[in-house]
Every structure is written in structure tokens, then in C-alpha cells.
Amino acid sequence: MSKKRITKSQQNQAEKFIKKNVKNPGVALVLVVLVAAGAWLVNNQDLFIKNNSVPASFAETQENIRCIDGDTFAYGETTVRMLAIDTPETVKPNTPVQPYGKEASNRTCSLLKNAQSISFKQDVGNENDKYGRQLAWVYVDDELLQEILVSEGLAIIKYVNKKTVDTDLLKLLETAEAKAKTEKINIWSE
């Protein structure tokens, strides 16, 4: 879906219309300023959506969720790779199933399939990976799925883009990972 932009010509036309048709100079000035500000906001909206949640409810389509492994799933034609974590491999070609890989896959699948709501949050500038997968922070019933997996010792923090990462969410993961390590949970038990 392409973004609609307001061209300088369109902005100038609106300003000329206001100046010509609005008799009160004070009102005309206010309207011209509003048109200019509105054009700027429309053309620069990406500046304001960084790390804002983009809800995507799947209540009626959860049967279309296809679990791939512990950090990747698909719904419909879209494949989602969870940001900032890595789970042990279960489906990577020429790679044996790694310890806790099945547990991570099963846990992710269970949480996704049993959730009442699923929503995403994306880091602007890091929306897709080189394989075309959508990169996202994933929430199941308003809980960060990555944090659940890391706190249960089923995922580690990995593949963090320092330029785009939501630092608040990364701190949550770092706290959860430190606790899982200290308690020697699953991946950290060996």
C-alpha cells in the first residue's frame, strides 16, 4: 500500500484558495498555517509511529496460524519473525534439532493458537528481513511473546539492530534473560 503524499503544489493551491475566499485576514492566516502543518504531518508521519503498536487481531483467523519454529510463524501469506530473539533450531535445513528447540516451538505455537488477541509492534526501519519475513514484537493477550520465551529459557537475545530497536522492550528481555540465566532455566541449565 503506497502512502499518500501532499505535494507542494497541492499545498500552495489550498493556501491560495484560503487567501482568496476567506475575508478575515486573521482567519486566513490561521487556515494557511493549519494547511502547512497538516501537509507536513501527513508527509512525515513515520516520525511519529516509531515503536507504536500496530494492532492485528486474529480472533477469527487463528486456525490460519501456521507454526514454523520457536521464533517464526505464519498467518495467511505473511511470515513473521520475532524481533530480538533466537530459539533453538528445529527446521533449519542440514541442522539437527537443537536442545529445547521442540519445547520452544511448542510453547510459541500454543501461546499463539490459544491467544484471545495477537498484536504486533514494529521497529521503524527494520520491518522486514532479507528473507522477506515481517519482523515484529509479538503480543499474545497483551503479553510480549519474546519476553515469555526468554524468561522461560526457551530463547536468547539475538539479532538486535541497535539503530532501530525499541530500547524499553530490549531492557525487558535483558532482565528476563538475566533471571533465566541465574535460575538456570532450560537453555541455561547446562
Side-chain angles (χ1 to χ4, degrees), residues 10 15 57 75 94 97 103 112 128 136 142 150 156 160 164-165:
Q10 290 170 323
E15 289 173 3
S57 179
Y75 67 93
N94 302 316
V97 173
E103 291 87 343
L112 289 167
N128 296 92
D142 298 322
V150 169
I156 62 171
V160 175
T164 61
V165 70

Side-chain angles (χ1 to χ4, degrees), residues 26-66:
V27 172
L29 177 63
V30 168
L31 290 174
V32 166
V33 170
L34 287 174
V35 166
W40 186 87
L41 282 171
V42 167
N43 292 338
N44 293 287
Q45 63 187 340
D46 288 344
L47 297 175
F48 300 99
I49 63 170
K50 181 171 177 147
N51 297 322
N52 280 344
S53 184
V54 181
S57 179
F58 303 106
E60 57 272 348
T61 61
Q62 284 176 311
E63 65 273 4
N64 293 330
I65 291 176
R66 184 172 47 88

Side-chain angles (χ1 to χ4, degrees), residues 150-151 157 171-185 188:
V150 169
S151 69
I157 298 171
K171 285 176 190 171
L172 285 175
L173 295 187
E174 289 169 344
T175 300
E177 187 176 76
K179 186 173 184 217
K181 280 182 182 179
T182 300
E183 295 177 6
K184 299 182 190 271
I185 301 172
W188 308 109

Side-chain angles (χ1 to χ4, degrees), residues 20-186:
K20 181 178 177 184
N21 293 300
V22 177
K23 303 300 180 202
N24 183 324
V27 172
L29 177 63
V30 168
L31 290 174
V32 166
V33 170
L34 287 174
V35 166
W40 186 87
L41 282 171
V42 167
N43 292 338
N44 293 287
Q45 63 187 340
D46 288 344
L47 297 175
F48 300 99
I49 63 170
K50 181 171 177 147
N51 297 322
N52 280 344
S53 184
V54 181
S57 179
F58 303 106
E60 57 272 348
T61 61
Q62 284 176 311
E63 65 273 4
N64 293 330
I65 291 176
R66 184 172 47 88
C67 302
I68 297 171
D69 67 10
D71 51 38
T72 309
F73 65 95
Y75 67 93
E77 299 297 313
T78 304
T79 302
V80 177
R81 172 66 166 83
M82 287 187 264
L83 279 166
I85 66 164
D86 191 32
T87 59
E89 296 298 339
T90 59
V91 295
K92 187 175 182 180
N94 302 316
T95 303
V97 173
Q98 296 175 332
Y100 299 102
K102 287 287 185 193
E103 291 87 343
S105 295
N106 291 341
R107 182 70 168 135
T108 297
C109 195
S110 173
L111 288 166
L112 289 167
K113 296 232 177 202
N114 292 308
Q116 297 298 308
S117 68
I118 300 170
S119 61
F120 300 140
K121 190 174 187 179
Q122 289 190 293
D123 291 341
V124 174
N126 193 24
E127 292 89 0
N128 296 92
D129 68 8
K130 64 183 179 181
Y131 305 107
R133 300 177 297 189
Q134 188 174 13
L135 300 174
W137 299 99
V138 180
Y139 291 85
V140 290
D141 298 328
D142 298 322
E143 288 188 60
L144 183 62
L145 182 52
Q146 285 97 319
E147 184 180 16
I148 294 169
L149 295 172
V150 169
S151 69
E152 294 177 0
L154 296 173
I156 62 171
I157 298 171
K158 200 167 184 181
Y159 308 119
V160 175
N161 183 331
K162 299 283 187 190
K163 293 179 183 176
T164 61
V165 70
D166 182 322
T167 54
D168 292 334
L169 294 178
L170 183 59
K171 285 176 190 171
L172 285 175
L173 295 187
E174 289 169 344
T175 300
E177 187 176 76
K179 186 173 184 217
K181 280 182 182 179
T182 300
E183 295 177 6
K184 299 182 190 271
I185 301 172
N186 290 326

